[in-house]
C-alpha cells in the first residue's frame, strides 16, 4: 500500500475512532440504556475491535479504498441498526474520495457530506431527529467554515470538536424520532443521544491526537 500523507492521516483518524469506540464501550452503552436497548456501545466496540484485528491484513492503495474496506468490516460486525448506518457512512465517504489521490480539506468536507447523505437515507433521519446527525452535521459545517479562514489543522479540529460536543449536549432538548429511542417518546427528553455523543467523543480524540507534523506511519501499523 502507498504511504501518501493523506492516507497516513486517514489511517490515524480511523484508528483513533476505533480505539475511542472500544475504550468508551461502557459509557456509550449507559447513554443508550436511558431510552434505548443499551447495546449501542457494545455493537460499536465490537465493530471497531474487528477493524483493529484486521488492520494489518487490509489491502488498499488510497484513502477511498481504505474507507471502503473499513465500511465492509464494520458492516459485517456491528449489530442492530448501527452496522448499516456506520458502514454506509464510511462507504459513501470512500466512494466520494475514490477518484482523488491526495484529498485535501475541501475533499474531506465533501466526503463527510456524502456520509451524511448516506446516513440520512439509510436511517430515514434528518437533523432534529435526535441521532448522530445532530452532531455530525454541525461539526461538518464548522469544519468547512474553519477551513475557509485558517490552514492550522490543530485549530480547525479543535473548533470542530467543540461544535460537535455542544451539538451533542443540545440533543438533550430533542425528542427522539428515529431508532429505538423514538419508542420512548417524551421520555427521551433530558438525555443526550448516544450516537451524537459518540461523534463528539471521537472528534475530541482526533483533535487531541493531531499534531502539525506528519504522523509516523510505523506507529499506525503496530499490532494492538
Amino acid at each position: 500500500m502507498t504511504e501518501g500523507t493523506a492516507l497516513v492521516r486517514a489511517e490515524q483518524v480511523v484508528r483513533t475512532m476505533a480505539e475511542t469506540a472500544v475504550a468508551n464501550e461502557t459509557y456509550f452503552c449507559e447513554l443508550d440504556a436511558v431510552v434505548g436497548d443499551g447495546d449501542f456501545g457494545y455493537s460499536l466496540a465490537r465493530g471497531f475491535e474487528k477493524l483493529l484485528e484486521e488492520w494489518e491484513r487490509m489491502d488498499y492503495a488510497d484513502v477511498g479504498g481504505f474507507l471502503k474496506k473499513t465500511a465492509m468490516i464494520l458492516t459485517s460486525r456491528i449489530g442492530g441498526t448501527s452496522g448499516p448506518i456506520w458502514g454506509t457512512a464510511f462507504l459513501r465517504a470512500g466512494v466520494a474520495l475514490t477518484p482523488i489521490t491526495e484529498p485535501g480539506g475541501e475533499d474531506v468536507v465533501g466526503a463527510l457530506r456524502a456520509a451524511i447523505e448516506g446516513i440520512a437515507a439509510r436511517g430515514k433521519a434528518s437533523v432534529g431527529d435526535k441521532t448522530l446527525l445532530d452532531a455530525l452535521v454541525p461539526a461538518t459545517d464548522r469544519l468547512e467554515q474553519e477551513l475557509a479562514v485558517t490552514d492550522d489543522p490543530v485549530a480547525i479540529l479543535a473548533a470542530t470538536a467543540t461544535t460537535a460536543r455542544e451539538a451533542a449536549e443540545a440533543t438533550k432538548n430533542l425528542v427522539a424520532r428515529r431508532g429505538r429511542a423514538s419508542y420512548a417518546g417524551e421520555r427521551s427528553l433530558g438525555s443526550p443521544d448516544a450516537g451524537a455523543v459518540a461523534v463528539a467523543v471521537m472528534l475530541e480524540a482526533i483533535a487531541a491526537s493531531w499534531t502539525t507534523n506528519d504522523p509516523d506511519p510505523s506507529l499506525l501499523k503496530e499490532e494492538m
Side-chain angles (χ1 to χ4, degrees):
M1 91 186 64
T2 62
E3 290 293 348
T5 300
L7 177 56
V8 175
R9 283 299 194 186
E11 291 172 335
Q12 177 190 7
V13 166
V14 175
R15 187 167 192 124
T16 300
M17 292 177 67
E19 293 170 349
T20 301
V22 173
N24 287 276
E25 176 182 347
T26 299
Y27 175 48
F28 294 158
C29 279
E30 290 172 347
L31 287 174
D32 186 45
V34 176
V35 292
D37 52 15
D39 68 347
F40 171 68
Y42 175 85
S43 297
L44 200 65
R46 297 293 78 75
F48 278 107
E49 194 173 63
K50 181 65 175 177
L51 177 66
L52 292 172
E53 291 174 0
E54 296 293 329
W55 195 266
E56 296 295 329
R57 293 185 288 275
M58 292 170 66
D59 182 25
Y60 51 87
D62 51 31
V63 177
F66 169 57
L67 295 179
K68 286 187 282 189
K69 290 286 186 179
T70 296
M72 291 174 62
I73 292 173
L74 294 182
T75 301
S76 70
R77 193 68 178 89
I78 299 179
T81 59
S82 294
I85 294 296
W86 286 76
T88 295
F90 277 95
L91 178 60
R92 291 292 187 91
V95 170
L97 293 175
T98 293
I100 306 167
T101 304
E102 285 288 311
E106 291 183 0
D107 302 313
V108 172
V109 171
L112 287 170
R113 297 288 186 206
I116 287 167
E117 290 176 3
I119 293 170
R122 192 68 189 243
K124 296 180 175 57
S126 58
V127 172
D129 286 341
K130 196 163 186 169
T131 70
L132 76 167
L133 290 178
D134 289 299
L136 185 57
V137 172
T140 301
D141 291 342
R142 183 64 181 275
L143 174 62
E144 187 171 35
Q145 292 165 9
E146 292 297 319
L147 284 167
V149 298
T150 181
D151 59 359
D152 180 356
V154 175
I156 290 170
L157 286 170
T160 300
T162 296
T163 293
R165 171 58 69 174
E166 292 172 348
E169 291 298 324
T171 61
K172 292 178 180 178
N173 302 318
L174 299 175
V175 174
R177 293 198 289 262
R178 290 291 180 268
R180 286 187 177 276
S182 64
Y183 302 153
E186 295 293 328
R187 289 193 297 107
S188 63
L189 278 171
S191 60
D193 177 70
V197 172
V199 169
V201 173
M202 287 178 177
L203 282 173
E204 288 169 344
I206 291 167
S209 68
W210 203 275
T211 67
T212 54
N213 300 318
D214 291 339
D216 180 354
S218 66
L219 297 179
L220 301 178
K221 297 181 177 302
E222 291 179 346
E223 291 286 346
M224 291 296 292

